[in-house]
Amino acid sequence: MATLRDGEFAALQSLLKAPSKDAVRQLCQECFSSPPAGLGLLAQRACPGLAADPEEAEKLVSALHSLTRHIVYCGLTRAEDILSLFPENFHQNLKNLLTKIILENISAWRTEAQASQISLPRLVDMDWRVDIKTSSDSISRMAVPTCLLQLKIQEDVALCGNSPVVSALTVELSKETLDTMLEGLGRIRDQLSAVANK
Amino acid sequence: AADKINLIPQDFFAELCEQIIQHLNHKIPGVDIAELCQRIQASGIEINVGDLAKIANVVSFLFSTAARNNLSTEELVSALGNAVTALPKQALHVIRHVWNEQGKSISLSEDARDMATVGQFIDMKWKLGVAMSSDTCRSLKYPYVTVTLKVADPSGQITDKSFEMTIPQFKNFFRQFKEMAAVLEMV
């Protein structure tokens, strides 16, 4: 992700017309979270007070999006690193305000970026129950313990946008299959410890 | 589904029927439709998993009904002959042969496994990975666990379900399974 061009920093100066620091804060958050495709709409909504015309609004929103995403991409966490991104003649107070807002949000934004990166479907919930089968139409008496497990799996966030698809997988496990599962999970745990100790 | 059966070469159809009978006999936990479909496709036949699954369901129903009614080979073949949509000759031939060889051995034995109303867990494969970098974060170092569960649904078809977990999620997952095992020990 390339650093911002001078023109983009110039666009950021429109923020000087903002009614309050909170308005700037809110706009920063919205610009980071919005996907590139949503920036047009964001510009229309957020900027009547901030920009003289739609074009200026779009440039502002786009610049703020690029700046915040760039900082998260590079993993910058220190004030000096962020401050040094701005050109020399940039408005001092605005520069300090933006740096402050970004530092406040950086770890939440990083988590957000991690959560929305491409991945296999994710486990979101799990429920289980142990039953004993006592009888059925073909067997009158038995005592077979069995586990019912329900996993809620959410499909890839990047594909679903704002309405994630969650599917439920219900599985039955016997004592044997549960032991197989435990053995596999134990090995993962051992691997994790080995990696953590390196 | 009857017309799609035409597409399947005889030896693959025979294999499908054999697997279905083995499943009904509780010798195998299910039929891996996706795997069979891949092999059929690799030999140049254009058939999709959905169609193959439907055919498998039909054949499975056929065999289990015949077993429940203790049909002999002749009875089965004449029942099929009277059916509304006739099966292609090749398919009929395979069904007759498979039923003749193994139909009687379907004991439909009373077994706790028969009462599956949900999928049966068969196997689990796993992978521990670390995401190094992505388009949103140049330096991620984000560990995660990927798991693939092999599940046989009530009709006997085997599907794979894959998903990811974060490390805290994995620890919780493991803990829950240990609890389940502990409860199973007690009952």
Side-chain angles (χ1 to χ4, degrees):
Chain A
M1 211 162 285
T3 20
L4 274 64
R5 296 178 294 267
D6 282 339
E8 292 181 291
F9 279 110
L12 286 177
Q13 311 241 36
S14 304
L15 286 171
L16 291 167
K17 294 181 241 166
S20 67
K21 289 187 182 169
D22 278 335
V24 177
R25 184 167 283 121
Q26 171 122 1
L27 192 61
C28 284
Q29 286 166 342
E30 285 176 345
C31 286
F32 174 76
S33 302
S34 167
L39 290 176
L41 212 56
L42 186 56
Q44 279 173 22
R45 231 177 0 99
C47 291
L50 288 170
D53 55 47
E55 205 189 302
E56 196 188 319
E58 274 186 34
K59 285 198 181 130
L60 167 60
V61 154
S62 172
L64 207 42
H65 171 85
S66 297
L67 178 66
T68 49
R69 291 264 172 127
H70 173 79
I71 292 175
V72 171
Y73 177 74
C74 292
L76 304 179
T77 48
R78 297 182 313 166
E80 312 87 81
D81 295 331
I82 300 176
L83 288 167
S84 66
L85 290 175
F86 292 85
E88 285 214 7
N89 56 359
F90 197 85
H91 191 285
Q92 276 291 98
N93 286 345
L94 182 57
K95 180 170 74 172
N96 290 333
L97 176 63
L98 281 173
T99 302
K100 178 164 176 284
I101 292 174
I102 289 170
L103 284 175
E104 280 168 9
N105 284 290
I106 197 84
S107 78
W109 284 346
R110 199 179 147 85
T111 308
E112 200 178 307
Q114 283 177 351
S116 60
Q117 72 198 0
I118 51 176
S119 80
L120 283 176
R122 288 158 196 233
L123 181 68
V124 290
D125 199 9
M126 100 179 238
D127 294 306
W128 59 269
R129 181 176 101 193
V130 171
D131 285 356
I132 304 187
K133 293 180 181 168
T134 55
S135 70
S136 80
D137 60 320
S138 44
I139 308 179
S140 60
R141 272 176 51 161
M142 57 176 159
V144 179
T146 180
C147 252
L148 272 178
L149 171 68
Q150 187 181 75
L151 300 171
K152 292 229 180 72
I153 296 172
Q154 182 181 75
E155 299 303 319
D156 187 4
V157 169
L159 290 177
C160 302
N162 287 327
S163 47
V165 176
V166 177
S167 59
L169 176 67
T170 308
V171 194
E172 194 177 311
L173 296 100
S174 65
K175 186 153 188 332
E176 292 73 37
T177 47
L178 182 55
D179 286 340
T180 306
M181 182 73 126
L182 272 179
E183 207 188 297
L185 294 176
R187 279 193 235 131
I188 301 177
R189 197 262 324 266
D190 293 339
Q191 274 306 301
L192 268 178
S193 312
V195 169
N197 288 335
K198 284 203 184 128
Chain B
D3 48 340
K4 292 278 159 65
I5 293 187
N6 260 325
L7 294 171
I8 310 178
Q10 206 170 18
D11 48 354
F12 281 120
F13 186 66
E15 195 183 324
L16 178 63
C17 290
E18 297 262 358
Q19 280 199 35
I20 290 174
I21 291 248
Q22 285 187 335
H23 166 63
L24 290 173
N25 260 333
H26 305 298
K27 294 225 177 70
I28 56 175
V31 181
D32 202 334
I33 296 291
E35 192 267 335
L36 185 61
C37 193
Q38 260 185 344
R39 280 191 286 132
I40 297 178
Q41 283 169 347
S43 74
I45 312 288
E46 280 188 34
I47 186 169
N48 68 49
V49 176
D51 287 333
L52 193 57
K54 284 195 193 121
I55 293 172
N57 275 336
V58 167
V59 175
S60 180
F61 177 68
L62 199 67
F63 283 145
S64 59
T65 308
R68 230 185 304 268
N69 293 316
N70 272 317
L71 294 184
S72 69
T73 312
E74 289 70 44
E75 287 170 324
L76 175 60
V77 171
S78 65
L80 284 175
N82 294 334
V84 178
T85 30
L87 288 169
K89 274 209 171 57
Q90 266 194 328
L92 212 51
H93 183 76
V94 170
I95 290 175
R96 182 205 185 104
H97 177 79
V98 171
W99 186 254
N100 217 16
E101 301 278 304
Q102 302 180 51
K104 269 53 130 224
S105 70
I106 299 184
S107 53
L108 286 189
S109 66
E110 282 98 24
D111 187 303
R113 284 167 293 178
D114 268 345
M115 284 150 291
T117 47
V118 296
Q120 296 289 310
F121 169 76
I122 296 175
D123 195 16
M124 173 182 86
K125 292 194 284 227
W126 59 268
K127 176 174 82 182
L128 173 61
V130 179
M132 297 304 291
S133 180
S134 82
D135 62 316
T136 46
C137 283
R138 187 164 54 198
S139 172
L140 264 179
K141 299 205 196 101
Y142 166 77
Y144 62 93
V145 176
T146 305
V147 162
T148 297
L149 300 181
K150 230 178 182 47
V151 177
D153 73 23
S155 70
Q157 288 177 16
I158 296 182
T159 45
D160 280 347
K161 194 77 187 163
S162 297
F163 57 87
E164 253 184 42
M165 287 184 270
T166 61
I167 299 307
Q169 273 182 322
F170 163 72
K171 292 190 171 155
N172 180 49
F173 196 70
F174 193 15
R175 201 171 37 83
Q176 302 268 16
F177 275 94
K178 285 194 274 198
E179 269 180 52
M180 274 193 254
V183 174
L184 267 187
E185 282 296 317
M186 290 194 294
V187 298

